[in-house]
Amino acid sequence: MTVTAIIPVKGHSTRVPGKNIMPFADSNLLVNKIRQLKESKVDEILVSSDSDEMLKMARKEGVRAEKRPDDLANESRPFGDLVIHVSELMTGEHMMWSPVTSPTLDGIFYSEIIDFYEKALNDGYDSFTTVEVFKHFLMDKSGKPYNFNPDAAVTNSQQLPEMYKWTCGCSIIPIELAKKYRFIFGKKPFCFEVDQYHAIDIDTEFDYRMAKAMYEAEVGNI
């Protein structure tokens, strides 16, 4: 089984400008992810970006870097078009989507989940993705409770029905299914539960600061 790790990075980020190359660990988010994946069992690392600066960083780290068409970086086309685009550049049989915005997933983690993925395929699942158990009280915009009944005896969030929050951290799928479904996991994914630390997904400035603080605290305790 051969696995190609895809690192998708846009040159422009709406919420946090320059997010994908913001300082992290002893480098930046992009270089950090490349180095983490280089320590894992993946067979190929492919960086897809519209940014010449980011492509240059990737090549300096010794991995394959391919220029992404501008219209696949400005969100004017469906996400599935990007999946098809990168799938045609791969050499591996399986695609691992590995965003830089999940910087707490390291090489050991990636190697372990490749093993989980292979077992999941043998057990009848068609793909793999990371999730976090979600148990929080939700209300809609009108103030109506969404997943709890105020008249019932639910007093603790742990008593709520278990749901999953997709962490966007890592997804793996056979390349043919990625093309078929135009997505990074299939119709019957194995949902791999991760803890809060490994569920970190940088979307805002607050997320970034929290990720840095948590990472530095974790590394400092090793």
Side-chain angles (χ1 to χ4, degrees), residues 28 95 147 151 158 162 208:
N28 59 54
M95 174 191 292
N147 63 339
D151 297 324
Q158 293 307 306
E162 187 167 285
Y208 169 66

Side-chain angles (χ1 to χ4, degrees), residues 53-119:
E53 179 185 10
M54 295 182 192
L55 294 173
K56 183 177 179 181
M57 289 180 184
R59 292 180 183 126
K60 186 176 180 180
E61 289 297 312
V63 300
R64 188 177 167 200
E66 297 287 350
K67 187 69 177 284
R68 187 192 307 181
D70 291 340
D71 60 345
L72 287 176
N74 61 18
E75 300 179 356
S76 63
R77 288 170 60 183
F79 178 71
D81 289 355
L82 174 59
V83 174
I84 297 298
H85 171 72
V86 297
S87 69
E88 293 172 346
L89 301 173
M90 288 173 44
T91 60
E93 302 165 335
H94 302 263
M95 174 191 292
M96 175 192 281
W97 203 259
S98 315
V100 305
T101 46
S102 295
T104 55
L105 305 186
D106 59 17
I108 295 174
F109 185 89
Y110 286 118
S111 292
E112 289 178 346
I113 61 177
I114 288 175
D115 292 336
F116 275 105
Y117 168 65
E118 189 168 11
K119 182 178 184 302

Side-chain angles (χ1 to χ4, degrees), residues 115-128 190:
D115 292 336
F116 275 105
Y117 168 65
E118 189 168 11
K119 182 178 184 302
L121 293 181
N122 292 331
D123 289 342
Y125 295 92
D126 68 357
S127 52
F128 175 104
F190 179 85

